[in-house]
Amino acid sequence: MPRYRTIGVIGGMGPAATADFLARLVALADAASDADHPRVLVDSNPNVPDRNAAARGEGPSPGPVLAAMAEGLVAQGADLLAMPCNAAHGWAGAITAGPFVSMIDAAVAEAMAHAPRRIGVLAVGATLALDLYGKASQVPVLAGDLAVVQPAVTAIKAGDRSAVTRAALAGAAERLVVDGAEVIIAACTEVPLVLGADDVPVPLVDSTAALARATLAAARLSG
Amino acid sequence: MPRYRTIGVIGGMGPAATADFLARLVALADAASDADHPRVLVDSNPNVPDRNAAARGEGPSPGPVLAAMAEGLVAQGADLLAMPCNAAHGWAGAITAGPFVSMIDAAVAEAMAHAPRRIGVLAVGATLALDLYGKASQVPVLAGDLAVVQPAVTAIKAGDRSAVTRAALAGAAERLVVDGAEVIIAACTEVPLVLGADDVPVPLVDSTAALARATLAAARLSG
């Protein structure tokens, strides 16, 4: 008897983050054999319009493509949907084909478990411009230096996993801690591909792992 | 302009191997940005009937489920199909919805590039019983000790990545080399999750990586 409903993944933003999310779902399912895992349908689509350009009003909205991907996944059998890209949540309202597990809400919930007075986020332009974390959080949110985070994310998307990029992101996190952040959220799915808990002096919430945990919890069948 | 046709992945056998395959597609695409990657549709379905039981005549055929998964992926837009599970290739004939890239053929081609007189395979019961590698290879194929490989694969499916399991598989490979194998194929997708090239005294062909390379080559658009 299946333990989970079928999960649909609106992915490809970027492709490495989607592969990372699938690996987290597998690891966190804590399964003894293949049959204990959820069925997961993935659409890793690298052709979703650029979220940062859209947030600046300089490119098409990703909304219609995200809506179509969601419809395709539900048509194929997905019972609930998750999207491992923080910035794309600016257009989550377009995803109406099925129940949607919010990555932003999942990451904020994990951050709030530490009862911080301020949260720091390492995020890209669209996530900051649309204030996705500020709107979801009950405490003030401090934004990591975009002049550091944006080029780091672009480098990671091109395959960079270097110590230099890790140190740049760790430095941005450190400055947020100096400014009063008591938890840091890796609020772009590329960030946890290089930055780990050991690199940051306060608790680090990995938005990809938070979404995987929330998605498995939402998909789990009772009994 | 897209560089690749859309890839459909018939997966979930096991789920960790499918996540590994997706990560290989991402890494091997050698992309500078999201848009350089192929679109990949994945059906990670842990409910495909057991391949080993079916090969023993003790369970239902996986064929109809694999055929339905292929049809679903093609309906969603897949232009070609790949299946990161060696044993399931015993029922590849049921997959008729679209062009299919064979993992067995991909791994044998990479093995033959070393011009071996004999190939050793670390594979599970169904792969051996159906002689999938023997039929595809131009040189004799030696089977690794199933009493070692089968329990190792079961342990890996349950999350085991231990040095003990690695050593057991390395020992099975070593015995094949003593018996005359000049190349070893990790002919079950769980094997390369723990066994690496450094663990084997002759060239090791990773069937998951071989399939990823062959799939990207088949999906690549000219120009």
Side-chain angles (χ1 to χ4, degrees):
Chain A
M1 204 179 100
R3 293 168 61 204
Y4 293 101
R5 293 183 292 157
T6 297
I7 296 166
V9 180
I10 302 166
M13 305 166 276
T18 293
D20 184 35
F21 180 64
L22 186 58
R24 305 299 186 103
L25 285 178
V26 172
L28 292 166
D30 193 26
S33 72
D34 288 2
D36 293 332
H37 286 271
R39 185 174 190 176
V40 185
L41 303 169
V42 181
D43 184 351
S44 183
N45 183 1
N47 305 313
V48 179
D50 185 87
R51 284 70 67 195
N52 294 318
R56 289 192 306 266
E58 293 170 7
S61 166
V65 173
L66 299 178
M69 290 166 73
E71 281 160 22
L73 290 163
V74 168
Q76 219 193 333
D79 296 311
L80 74 169
L81 299 163
M83 180 163 67
C85 172
N86 288 274
H89 279 66
W91 294 268
I95 298 166
T96 56
F100 180 73
V101 182
S102 164
M103 179 175 227
I104 311 289
D105 292 349
V108 167
E110 292 203 359
M112 291 309 295
H114 298 283
R117 283 167 295 184
R118 288 189 191 81
I119 294 171
V121 298
L122 299 176
V124 296
T127 306
L128 300 179
L130 302 171
D131 194 27
L132 299 180
Y133 275 90
K135 286 178 192 160
S137 171
Q138 301 87 332
V139 299
V141 168
L142 310 177
D145 186 354
L146 195 57
V148 174
V149 178
Q150 192 77 59
V153 167
T154 300
I156 296 166
K157 281 180 184 282
D160 180 353
R161 300 290 183 273
S162 70
V164 172
T165 298
R166 175 180 297 113
L169 290 169
E174 185 92 35
R175 254 162 285 146
L176 289 170
V177 173
V178 169
D179 291 344
E182 294 173 342
V183 175
I184 300 292
I185 299 178
C188 169
T189 50
E190 271 69 31
V191 171
L193 297 177
V194 303
L195 191 73
D198 294 346
D199 301 315
V200 178
V202 296
L204 178 70
V205 171
D206 174 340
S207 59
T208 305
L211 179 61
R213 279 186 280 269
T215 302
L216 287 170
R220 198 165 281 129
L221 292 164
S222 52
Chain B
M1 206 178 100
R3 294 169 59 204
Y4 293 100
R5 292 184 291 156
T6 297
I7 296 166
V9 180
I10 301 166
M13 304 167 278
T18 293
D20 184 36
F21 180 64
L22 186 58
R24 305 300 186 103
L25 285 178
V26 172
L28 292 166
D30 193 24
S33 71
D34 289 1
D36 293 333
H37 287 270
R39 185 174 189 175
V40 184
L41 303 170
V42 181
D43 184 350
S44 183
N45 183 359
N47 305 313
V48 178
D50 184 88
R51 283 70 67 196
N52 294 317
R56 292 192 304 266
E58 294 169 7
S61 166
V65 173
L66 298 178
M69 290 167 72
E71 282 161 21
L73 290 163
V74 169
Q76 219 193 332
D79 296 310
L80 74 170
L81 298 162
M83 181 163 65
C85 173
N86 288 273
H89 280 67
W91 294 268
I95 298 166
T96 55
F100 180 74
V101 182
S102 164
M103 180 175 225
I104 311 288
D105 291 349
V108 167
E110 292 203 358
M112 290 308 295
H114 298 283
R117 283 167 295 183
R118 287 189 193 80
I119 294 172
V121 297
L122 299 176
V124 296
T127 306
L128 299 179
L130 301 171
D131 195 27
L132 300 179
Y133 275 90
K135 286 178 191 160
S137 172
Q138 301 86 334
V139 299
V141 168
L142 309 177
D145 186 354
L146 196 57
V148 174
V149 178
Q150 192 77 58
V153 167
T154 300
I156 295 166
K157 281 181 184 280
D160 180 353
R161 302 288 183 277
S162 70
V164 172
T165 298
R166 175 179 297 112
L169 290 169
E174 185 92 34
R175 254 162 285 146
L176 289 170
V177 173
V178 169
D179 291 344
E182 294 174 341
V183 175
I184 301 291
I185 300 178
C188 169
T189 50
E190 272 69 31
V191 172
L193 297 178
V194 303
L195 191 73
D198 293 347
D199 300 314
V200 178
V202 297
L204 177 70
V205 172
D206 174 340
S207 59
T208 305
L211 179 61
R213 278 187 280 270
T215 302
L216 286 170
R220 197 165 280 129
L221 292 163
S222 52

